[in-house]
Amino acid sequence: MNIFVEQETDMQIFRADNHEAELVGWGVRVLMVSDPRATGTESVMRRVSGFGGLVDHQDELYAGLGAMLDDPTGYGLFVMLCDELGGLEVGQKAHALLRGSNCTAPIILISNEVSEQSFPEDRSAPILLRSPLSAVSMRVGFEHALRERLIWQAA
């Protein structure tokens, strides 16, 4: 394993050359649906990218659903910021439409209407995250959504 040293002002950052392998979502395609003007859009896209995800963004719900259904095996995760698109109820309807169309990708719904975050064991149920989103809850939700992928990487 090679060690690289990056110099940043007075600080050195050490990282192994295989740091990509440590990223939970390395290479997973993520379809995110949100209003591009929404407060959390930019930060969620940055966080998901930081976890190794490749983010495709749609700003209209039905365009996003259409993209998921047109390429059901191409996306490994569906993320929706619900508040500016009609609220959690609209997110739940999107979830029902995707599951009714046999889309099996994990789904994360983010809304300020979520009173208690949910990380269900049932893979077909959506992960519910409370907005405004913290870095920790996004990381836990992302890892939970891709937990089967983590098992395959460990094998």
Side-chain angles (χ1 to χ4, degrees):
M1 172 184 347
N2 296 326
I3 302 293
F4 296 98
V5 178
E6 297 176 11
Q7 195 75 26
E8 288 188 23
T9 60
D10 295 332
M11 180 173 52
Q12 289 184 344
I13 300 172
F14 296 88
R15 64 176 175 82
D17 66 344
N18 65 345
H19 73 282
E20 291 89 0
E22 298 168 6
L23 298 174
V24 176
W26 183 250
V28 70
R29 283 183 61 208
V30 178
L31 182 65
M32 185 170 134
V33 177
S34 70
D35 183 333
R37 298 172 308 244
T39 312
T41 295
E42 184 70 28
S43 69
V44 171
M45 288 177 71
R46 222 178 15 256
R47 286 178 181 153
V48 170
S49 294
F51 301 149
L54 306 171
V55 181
D56 292 341
H57 183 260
Q58 289 287 334
D59 57 4
E60 202 278 320
L61 176 60
Y62 291 103
L65 293 175
M68 280 297 288
L69 297 176
D70 287 344
D71 193 4
T73 59
Y75 289 103
L77 179 63
F78 179 85
V79 177
M80 182 175 167
L81 276 69
C82 302
D83 295 332
E84 286 79 10
L85 299 173
L88 186 57
E89 184 178 344
V90 172
Q92 296 283 11
K93 286 180 183 176
H95 167 258
L97 287 169
L98 289 171
R99 291 299 182 247
S101 299
N102 294 321
C103 178
T104 59
I107 296 173
I108 297 177
L109 302 176
I110 303 167
S111 174
N112 61 16
E113 297 174 46
V114 172
S115 57
E116 187 174 324
Q117 299 191 120
S118 172
F119 306 96
E121 285 303 313
D122 180 2
R123 193 176 193 283
S124 66
I127 295 166
L128 302 177
L129 300 178
R130 184 176 33 255
S131 180
L133 193 61
S134 73
V136 172
S137 63
M138 185 66 219
R139 176 73 182 209
V140 172
F142 192 82
E143 288 181 358
H144 189 74
L146 299 177
R147 64 191 178 274
E148 290 171 5
R149 191 166 200 234
L150 288 171
I151 292 169
W152 281 107
Q153 285 178 346

